[in-house]
Amino acid sequence: MINITIAGKEYIFPQEWKEVKLKQYMGIQPILKKEKDEATKIVEIVSVLSNIPYEIILDLEISSLGKVFNLVDKLLQSQPEPAPDTFILNGVEYISALKNRNLTTREYIDLDLLCKDLDNNLDKIMAILFRENEGGIIPYRTVDLESRAKLFYDELTADYALDAANFFFHMQVKSVVDFLVNKQREIMKQIVKTRRKKLKVLMSNGFGTSS
């Protein structure tokens, strides 16, 4: 973290993704995708990451704003180190659902659905991907999802979210590819089946034989 003093008030700006909260990370995603000029986007991102009011940032001298822009650019360009597969929040240990186990069907179905809108569902995705460790990860039940997602939204750091986003992006791509491949196989099987039926009909009528 780095301290920034603006108008006599001190603000804290993150220098690494592990210093950014999940809610801040989720807050900058729609800004990055807006059809606005880059300067406006940066001002909005600075406001989200530092809690500096938007109007105060607009009143900064250009030279001061340039320094803040550099901090944003450095953060956005940085690559976080892989996050650990366990962490502790409010005295409770959480463990990755991928540690020494495969996803259950229940987990996979919900994750596959949620990652279709990854930016808005990261808190819920994290609440499935990480759960309480009670001598092993607790079973996934949707009844617990909202409360855990709210906790992660407020307290979890973005380095975990970036790991999850990367994993589930590839999972989504794989899911689509698998679907297309399987669909293609089904179509080909249907074509072969139809052609065989037609061939049998032709042969029974005396066609298709050498003359």
Side-chain angles (χ1 to χ4, degrees):
M1 293 285 194
I2 185 170
N3 294 329
I4 303 174
T5 302
I6 297 176
K9 187 173 180 179
E10 197 168 85
Y11 298 92
I12 299 176
F13 193 87
Q15 293 182 288
E16 301 177 86
W17 286 113
K18 64 183 179 181
E19 298 171 341
V20 177
K21 295 294 186 183
L22 180 57
K23 62 183 175 183
Q24 293 174 302
Y25 177 78
M26 293 177 67
I28 68 174
Q29 296 310 305
I31 298 173
L32 291 169
K33 295 177 181 178
K34 285 181 180 178
E35 293 185 1
K36 288 186 176 182
D37 62 277
E38 292 303 310
T40 300
K41 286 183 181 180
I42 295 294
V43 170
E44 292 181 0
I45 290 171
V46 170
S47 182
V48 170
L49 292 176
S50 64
N51 295 316
I52 304 173
Y54 182 81
E55 292 298 323
I56 288 181
I57 298 173
L58 292 179
D59 287 336
L60 284 175
E61 293 181 359
I62 291 297
S63 58
S64 298
L65 187 59
K67 294 177 182 178
V68 178
F69 277 21
N70 289 336
L71 292 175
V72 173
D73 185 61
K74 185 177 180 181
L75 176 65
L76 294 180
Q77 297 300 323
S78 67
Q79 294 294 324
E81 295 180 3
D85 52 20
T86 61
F87 60 84
I88 295 176
L89 280 181
N90 298 341
V92 177
E93 183 180 42
Y94 295 84
I95 186 171
S96 171
L98 301 173
K99 185 175 183 180
N100 300 325
R101 68 189 287 275
N102 293 318
L103 292 174
T104 65
T105 303
R106 187 195 304 268
E107 291 166 336
Y108 185 90
I109 290 172
D110 285 4
L111 288 169
D112 192 46
L113 176 64
L114 290 169
C115 74
K116 288 175 170 54
D117 187 7
L118 196 61
D119 292 341
N120 290 318
N121 290 325
L122 264 177
D123 52 343
K124 296 180 181 66
I125 287 172
M126 298 307 298
I128 297 175
L129 187 59
F130 283 90
R131 302 195 299 278
E132 291 88 338
N133 184 8
E134 296 180 358
I137 193 167
I138 64 169
Y140 168 56
R141 297 293 181 265
T142 52
V143 68
D144 304 319
L145 184 62
E146 288 296 331
S147 59
R148 192 162 53 247
K150 177 64 171 65
L151 173 66
F152 288 178
Y153 180 80
D154 290 329
E155 301 296 338
L156 195 61
T157 51
D159 50 340
Y160 287 94
L162 287 163
D163 271 2
N166 181 59
F167 175 83
F168 288 110
F169 171 76
H170 289 294
M171 172 180 142
Q172 185 181 29
V173 170
K174 182 178 183 299
S175 177
V176 171
V177 171
D178 286 347
F179 171 79
L180 293 175
V181 169
N182 290 332
K183 197 68 176 175
Q184 186 180 41
R185 285 173 181 164
E186 289 176 15
I187 293 170
M188 290 304 296
K189 284 180 181 178
Q190 191 62 42
I191 290 172
V192 170
K193 187 177 180 180
T194 303
R195 287 177 67 86
R196 282 177 178 171
K197 283 183 178 179
K198 288 182 178 179
L199 183 60
K200 285 181 180 179
V201 171
L202 288 171
M203 292 180 69
S204 67
N205 292 332
F207 295 99
T209 58
S210 57
S211 54

